[in-house]
Every structure is written in structure tokens, then in C-alpha cells.
Amino acid sequence: MITMKHKSQLKIYNTLSRTKEIFEPLSPPFVGMYVCGPTVYGDAHLGHGRPAITFDTVYRYLTHLGMKVRYVRNITDVGHLQGDADEGEDKIAKKAKLEQLEPMEVAQQYTDSYHRDMLALNTIKPSIEPRATGHIPEQIALVQGILKEGLAYEVNGSVYFDVLKYNETRQYGKLSGRVLEELVSGSRDLDGQSEKRNAVDFALWKNAAPEHLMKWDSPWGTGFPGWHLECTAMSSKYLGKQFDIHGGGMDLMFPHHECEIAQGNACNHQDPAKYWMHNNMITINGQKMGKSLGNFITLQELFTGKHDLLGQAYSPMTIRYFILTAHYRSTLDFSNDALRAAQKGYKKIINGLRIAKGLVFEADNDVEVDEKQAQQVEQIIANAYRAMDDDFNTAQAIGHLFNILKKINSIYTGQLNAGQLGKEVFEKMIDTFVVFVEEILGLQEEKPDHQEGLLEVLLKLYTDAKLAKNYGKVDEIRSALKTMGIIVKDMKDKIDWAYEE
């Protein structure tokens, strides 16, 4: 691994304060980061891909800066009810009934497929990946603690968080900006239809009907945990009562994360996380993604191209690159045109990576360092880091990488002599490009099966045919390589190749 010294002044946009704040870990150099993972009742889709790549990049950059990160991302395998509500059927149990499987079979099947897709996207495995069903005792203990504080009540074997009581001394809604009075008035039509004292209250533990598939014994009877409770139990177990970063999609801000803050304050008397990060939503051709709209696209459908809205298959690295070309807090619109442009951009970067790794410092004796050129390179490198330090702005960082790539290509084609930069700046430029592409952005070369051996043979035949002036054979081999997505590059002193952009 290439290591580089960079003194960071990292700023993170904290949803809680609605400002960018200088990142100061609670116990440097250690960083605790909790990210809400998937509810495993279906194949991973674009909405799973964006937060996974976003927080993988956060993890990678913090690690690059020398921080020791414990990254916890959970698996929700119980308690997430239809409509994200406190009533209705468990999403996993419903799928199990439809497919005539045990709920844990469903959870395992889709956990495995999620891992497969995350591996394809080159995301690093989290340090810990706890499952909700593996932490029932911790969740029961949390409910008992909140009851002891007088901020919850039990009705018919279910336990609910008392939001109005909590709000007497604290602020429910401070993360999402919701005003409790407005929430209460907007939910009055539900009064009398529920066993809750108030419609804004949320379930900590639900009594299970006899036919309910997933249930456990508790002090209040047989039941199952509330969706919001799981994350509080698992984050506090592995990261402590307060940790550095809590991440997730913007759709989780309310009520999920809001409820986590309430639970954390109720039982631990402090906010669970110092910094709250939320990635924005994705749209498909300008529309919100949804099964009813026919634009619901899974990651596997993207990788194979098997969806009516897709003009072709898009590789995992094309998807990763595309997601990184937008700032994580901006809306991201998927379309065939945008994905094709991303495919081209990704291949430019990977062609540059191949060139960068092959370049060695060679300077003519009569070449002097061009201070202007050297300073330009130093500035571009500083700009790339400045972009990442500004709330992980990968979109701007990629723009600066292309500026570095222009310099690398100029040396590769002989327009610029490496000696004009000086050995130190040259090596810093190459190292920066490689580190950003591979370590920070997590992009990797996607090689077609058996490519290297076949390429070697075809390029040797191409070279021999050219030397023999057999131009018919030259054109034939060039055409064959193009069908593989490979372009032959005839250079002054050698023959090279690149991925077709």
C-alpha cells in the first residue's frame, strides 16, 4: 500500500447542526461509525448501492488519513414492518409466507445476495456486521431501561415510547426539523384507533399474535423488537453510548434516526452520535424509484442489463464511478445516457491507472525542472485533497484527478518530460493518482476473462504483421481486439493498448 502524508482539515456536514463542522473524533485516532444496513427481504437495488458506496468511501478516506475506524453496519432481519410503521406484517415474514420458506431462510438468502453485490461494487466489509435477531437480550434490556426512566409504557404486551413525555425535557424532531405540535395535530385522526396514548408514540416492543412467525419471550410477553430499537442496541453495544458518525439514507432521517436519538437520550442521557451523515435519494429518468412505476432496478439487473429501462449492461465499477461523480448529499438521477457517460469516464480513469503504474522517472540530462509545471501539479494534488476534506466531495476530487491524468498522459506521449517536474513531484503525482483511484475511491480494473494471455498473443501477432507490412492482417487483428473493447495504440517507440472509451 502506498502511504502519503496529508494534514487534513476534514469537514463533515452534520445533519443535526445543518452546518459543516471540523471533524474531531471523540477519542482520536479511533473513530466509531455506524451505518444502517439493509432489511434483507429482497435483492439489493440502487437505493442500497448508494449508501454502501458513500460510506465505504468515508471509511476509506478516514483510514487513509491514519484514523483507526470501527465500521459497524447492521443487518435488519426482524421487526421492520410493512410501511415502516408499528402495525402490519413483518417484511421478511411476509416474503417467507409467499415463498413457503422459514423467515431465516429468506434473511440468509438475501444477506448472501447483498454481500455478493457489495463485493462486486468493491466495498470493504464492515468491521462488525451485527444482526437484529442476534441482539434480542440487549434490546429487551434497553426497553427495561427506558421504562425505568418513565419514558415508555406497556399496553397489552407491547411497549411504546412516550414521545410527549420525552419532549417535556428534550426535543423530539431536532434531527429532521419536525415540530412535535404539527406531528400531533396531523395525527389526531388516528386517535382512538390504536392502543398508543398518542399516535406519534412508537413501538419499542410489539406483542406477537399467535400466527406471527418471528417472536421471543420477554418480560411483557411473547413478542418482537421495534425497528428503531435494533440500531440503538447494536450501535451502543459495539461503539459505546456515544460514537462519532451515524450514517444512512435521507429516507431514514425520520422517523428512524429521530427515534434512535430519542432512545439514546432516554436510556443513555446523550445523543448517540456526534455527527449525522445522510446520503440523498436516487431517481430513475427523473422519477422516484418504485415497483409500482416499473422503474425499480436491482443491482443484478444493472450488471446484466436485464431490465426494460436499460439499454445495456453496466459493470459494477461503472456504477461505483457514477455514484461517486455526484456529491453524496445531492440527488442522483440514473439514466442510460448518464451511465454511458460514466462508463466512458471510468475507462479513462482505468486507462490512466495502467499508464501511471507503468511510468518510471526518466529525465534527460539537459532537462531542467520547470517550476511552473511542478507547481501546477502540486496545486492539483492539493485541490484533490481539499475536495475530499470538504465533506467528502468525490465529484470535485474526480475532476482534479482528470487534471492529474492530463499531466500523466503528456509524459506518456512525450509532450512533457518527467524531468520537468523533478523526481519528487513526479513520484508524488503518480502516487496521488494511484492512491485516489484505488484506495480512496475504490475503483479497480475490470479485466475480461482470459484477457491478459489473449492480449499478449494478439499484440505479438499484430506487431509481427506490421513489421511484415501485412496490413490486411493488421486490420483484422485490430478489429478483433476492438470487439473485446480494446484499442491498439501505435506509438513512436512501441505498441500499446487501452480500453475503448
Side-chain angles (χ1 to χ4, degrees):
M1 181 188 290
I2 302 169
T3 55
M4 301 181 62
K5 292 180 180 179
H6 167 66
K7 191 173 181 182
S8 173
Q9 187 69 66
L10 176 62
K11 289 185 179 180
I12 294 178
Y13 182 86
N14 190 350
T15 310
L16 194 60
S17 66
R18 292 166 182 74
T19 58
K20 287 180 188 175
E21 300 176 13
I22 294 173
F23 181 60
E24 296 176 335
L26 294 165
S27 303
F30 300 98
V31 174
M33 181 170 77
Y34 185 90
V35 177
C36 289
T39 300
V40 283
Y41 69 103
D43 286 319
H45 52 73
L46 287 172
H48 294 118
R50 190 172 196 189
I53 289 168
T54 294
F55 293 103
D56 178 67
T57 307
V58 170
Y59 175 70
R60 286 171 176 274
Y61 192 59
L62 292 175
T63 303
H64 173 72
L65 295 178
M67 300 180 199
K68 299 183 183 302
V69 186
R70 178 178 285 177
Y71 173 20
V72 181
R73 185 185 66 207
N74 74 294
I75 295 289
T76 294
D77 54 1
V78 68
H80 195 168
L81 306 186
Q82 293 291 314
D84 301 344
D86 286 336
E87 304 297 334
E89 200 169 3
D90 185 291
K91 293 184 176 185
I92 292 167
K94 183 179 179 180
K95 187 77 169 181
K97 286 178 184 176
L98 286 171
E99 298 190 5
Q100 295 184 311
L101 297 171
E102 282 291 324
M104 284 299 100
E105 282 184 273
V106 171
Q108 189 62 51
Q109 175 186 332
Y110 291 114
T111 298
D112 290 345
S113 69
Y114 177 77
H115 287 155
R116 171 201 64 200
D117 293 343
M118 294 306 104
L119 181 65
L121 291 170
N122 198 31
T123 63
I124 297 170
K125 291 179 181 179
S127 317
I128 302 172
E129 192 176 51
R131 296 186 183 214
T133 54
H135 297 78
I136 300 298
E138 290 87 348
Q139 294 176 75
I140 289 173
L142 264 178
V143 177
Q144 290 174 315
I146 296 171
L147 279 165
K148 191 176 179 181
E149 292 288 333
L151 294 172
Y153 56 91
E154 185 261 333
V155 183
N156 302 325
S158 294
V159 182
Y160 296 97
F161 191 94
D162 193 332
V163 172
L164 268 63
K165 183 78 178 293
Y166 170 84
N167 208 58
E168 290 174 4
T169 55
R170 301 168 183 85
Q171 183 188 353
Y172 182 80
K174 66 179 183 178
L175 179 69
S176 59
R178 307 290 177 103
V179 178
L180 184 58
E181 289 74 18
E182 292 176 3
L183 290 171
V184 171
S185 63
S187 59
R188 277 180 182 156
D189 58 329
L190 296 175
D191 287 352
Q193 298 177 27
S194 168
E195 60 189 11
K196 301 178 187 179
R197 289 178 184 170
N198 196 291
V200 295
D201 296 346
F202 57 90
L204 298 172
W205 184 267
K206 285 288 290 180
N207 180 51
E211 68 274 11
H212 199 89
L213 295 175
M214 306 170 81
K215 51 195 175 188
W216 292 263
D217 291 335
S218 80
W220 317 284
T222 304
F224 55 92
W227 175 38
H228 313 307
L229 188 72
E230 301 169 2
C231 288
T232 298
M234 291 184 282
S235 64
S236 59
K237 179 178 175 69
Y238 297 109
L239 298 174
K241 293 179 179 179
Q242 189 175 48
F243 49 93
D244 296 292
I245 298 171
H246 194 311
M250 196 173 283
D251 57 323
L252 297 176
M253 193 189 307
F254 186 88
H256 188 54
H257 291 163
E258 199 72 73
C259 294
E260 280 190 64
I261 288 178
Q263 291 165 167
N265 274 281
C267 58
N268 299 324
H269 307 289
Q270 58 189 326
D271 285 348
K274 186 177 178 182
Y275 304 89
W276 287 82
M277 295 179 65
H278 292 91
N279 63 273
N280 211 324
M281 298 296 96
I282 60 162
T283 54
I284 312 289
N285 298 317
Q287 280 189 309
K288 185 178 178 180
M289 186 175 74
K291 288 183 178 178
S292 61
L293 296 171
N295 65 355
F296 185 86
I297 305 177
T298 68
L299 291 172
Q300 280 298 310
E301 286 170 337
L302 273 168
F303 301 159
T304 61
K306 294 178 180 178
H307 191 284
D308 290 344
L309 291 178
L310 298 174
Q312 63 177 81
Y314 298 100
S315 74
M317 285 300 98
T318 297
I319 300 303
R320 184 178 182 106
Y321 175 85
F322 178 59
I323 287 173
L324 293 172
T325 57
H327 189 271
Y328 76 89
R329 286 192 290 113
S330 65
T331 305
L332 182 61
D333 186 54
F334 278 75
S335 68
N336 281 289
D337 287 345
L339 287 168
R340 279 191 287 266
Q343 185 177 49
K344 189 173 182 179
Y346 159 71
K347 287 185 177 178
K348 281 183 185 291
I349 288 286
I350 294 304
N351 282 331
L353 184 67
R354 287 187 59 255
I355 291 169
K357 286 183 170 182
L359 283 182
V360 292
F361 182 77
E362 294 176 350
D364 297 335
N365 293 331
D366 58 344
V367 173
E368 294 184 0
V369 173
D370 184 331
E371 292 296 339
K372 186 177 178 182
Q373 287 279 6
Q375 286 173 11
Q376 276 183 359
V377 170
E378 292 271 21
Q379 187 58 55
I380 297 168
I381 291 170
N383 289 344
Y385 274 105
R386 190 175 295 115
M388 290 301 295
D389 286 343
D390 184 15
D391 194 30
F392 307 97
N393 197 327
T394 55
Q396 286 188 7
I398 287 171
H400 298 307
L401 285 187
F402 275 110
N403 289 332
I404 295 176
L405 185 53
K406 287 176 186 174
K407 299 292 184 184
I408 291 172
N409 283 332
S410 293
I411 293 172
Y412 175 64
T413 58
Q415 295 169 285
L416 179 68
N417 190 287
Q420 291 176 266
L421 299 180
K423 192 171 191 294
E424 184 179 341
V425 173
F426 169 84
E427 290 181 348
K428 186 177 179 182
M429 176 183 72
I430 298 298
D431 285 357
T432 298
F433 189 81
V434 173
V435 163
F436 261 80
V437 172
E438 292 188 325
E439 290 183 20
I440 297 173
L441 299 180
L443 297 169
Q444 58 186 5
E445 184 178 354
E446 294 175 318
K447 298 178 180 178
D449 293 340
H450 314 300
Q451 173 188 283
E452 288 185 31
L454 183 59
L455 255 180
E456 193 176 319
V457 171
L458 287 173
L459 287 174
K460 175 71 168 61
L461 290 172
Y462 180 90
T463 304
D464 291 345
K466 196 167 184 189
L467 287 170
K469 297 185 178 180
N470 185 348
Y471 298 117
K473 181 60 72 176
V474 166
D475 290 341
E476 185 183 334
I477 297 170
R478 182 184 287 274
S479 178
L481 285 166
K482 191 168 183 180
T483 62
M484 295 168 54
I486 302 295
I487 299 296
V488 180
K489 300 169 77 174
D490 290 303
M491 305 183 73
K492 290 180 183 177
D493 56 345
K494 62 181 176 179
I495 291 170
D496 204 352
W497 65 273
Y499 291 107
E500 185 178 17
E501 298 167 6

